[in-house]
Amino acid sequence: RAVRQVLEHGLINGTGYSGEPQGIVNTTGRQTKSFAGSVPTLLELVVMFELLGQADADLSTSAWLLHPSMVASLLETQHGTNTDTIMRVTGPREWLLLGLPIQVSTQIPSGSVVLADWSKVAVCNFGPSQVLVDGFSGGKSIRGDVELIVSNFVDIALAEVDNLVVGFA
């Protein structure tokens, strides 16, 4: 779980420095949309959808990426007074926003919303993960400690950078 979270952080929110890939949120050339508040309005989300569509993205392979707190906020946000929420629940752990599916990650900044054509995003692994088991250095053998060091050589590539829209507060 810890290794998955570190990988997810790098691929989504990585800075491109200190061994991290440059994550999709920090990719240069991406499209952006700023929000007036901490939770986007329906109109701001529609603008993100429009930006992606105008970039000729394939909407059939597009989806939203949200932080769990953003999902919770959008589940409470209505179109207007006494109307349905802007997000639809279609099944257990299945949600739709403007007709597109939602994926959830704790590694995306909580005030950000990502909309992308995921068929244009490639996660590139340069070989398998490597695990080094160290039970001896620094007195570990005396204490009975073991340290696992996991190395992953991975990066993310976007075939069409404008098929990625990042919204933020």
Side-chain angles (χ1 to χ4, degrees):
R1 180 175 165 198
V3 172
R4 179 183 54 87
Q5 287 179 335
V6 169
L7 278 173
E8 240 180 75
H9 171 78
L11 296 172
I12 294 171
N13 201 28
T15 61
Y17 299 103
S18 300
E20 282 186 338
Q22 186 170 2
I24 58 172
V25 172
N26 298 314
T27 298
T28 54
R30 75 199 183 309
Q31 298 194 73
T32 60
K33 172 68 181 127
S34 60
F35 304 142
S38 59
V39 177
T41 64
L42 177 60
L43 180 59
E44 291 167 334
L45 295 169
V46 168
V47 168
M48 288 181 69
F49 184 89
E50 182 180 16
L51 288 170
L52 189 68
Q54 288 177 344
D56 291 325
D58 183 354
L59 296 176
S60 69
T61 57
S62 298
W64 302 89
L65 180 61
L66 306 174
H67 190 277
S69 62
M70 184 63 75
V71 171
S73 296
L74 290 174
L75 280 170
E76 297 173 350
T77 304
Q78 296 178 324
H79 287 287
T81 308
N82 297 323
T83 61
D84 290 336
T85 60
I86 62 174
M87 202 163 94
R88 273 193 8 199
V89 179
T90 59
R93 293 182 302 263
E94 294 177 12
W95 308 282
L96 291 177
L97 184 56
L98 300 177
L100 298 177
I102 297 170
Q103 297 300 317
V104 180
S105 173
T106 57
Q107 301 306 313
I108 188 168
S110 60
S112 296
V113 173
V114 173
L115 177 60
D117 176 357
W118 296 102
S119 70
K120 302 289 192 297
V121 179
V123 176
C124 308
N125 287 297
F126 302 100
S129 298
Q130 299 173 5
V131 179
L132 174 67
V133 180
D134 178 9
F136 301 103
S137 69
K140 290 183 187 90
S141 61
I142 295 169
R143 294 187 310 270
D145 294 343
V146 174
E147 181 179 13
L148 295 177
I149 302 166
V150 181
S151 297
N152 285 293
F153 297 99
V154 65
D155 205 350
I156 192 162
L158 284 86
E160 296 181 36
V161 180
D162 63 344
N163 283 198
L164 170 68
V165 183
V166 178
F168 51 90

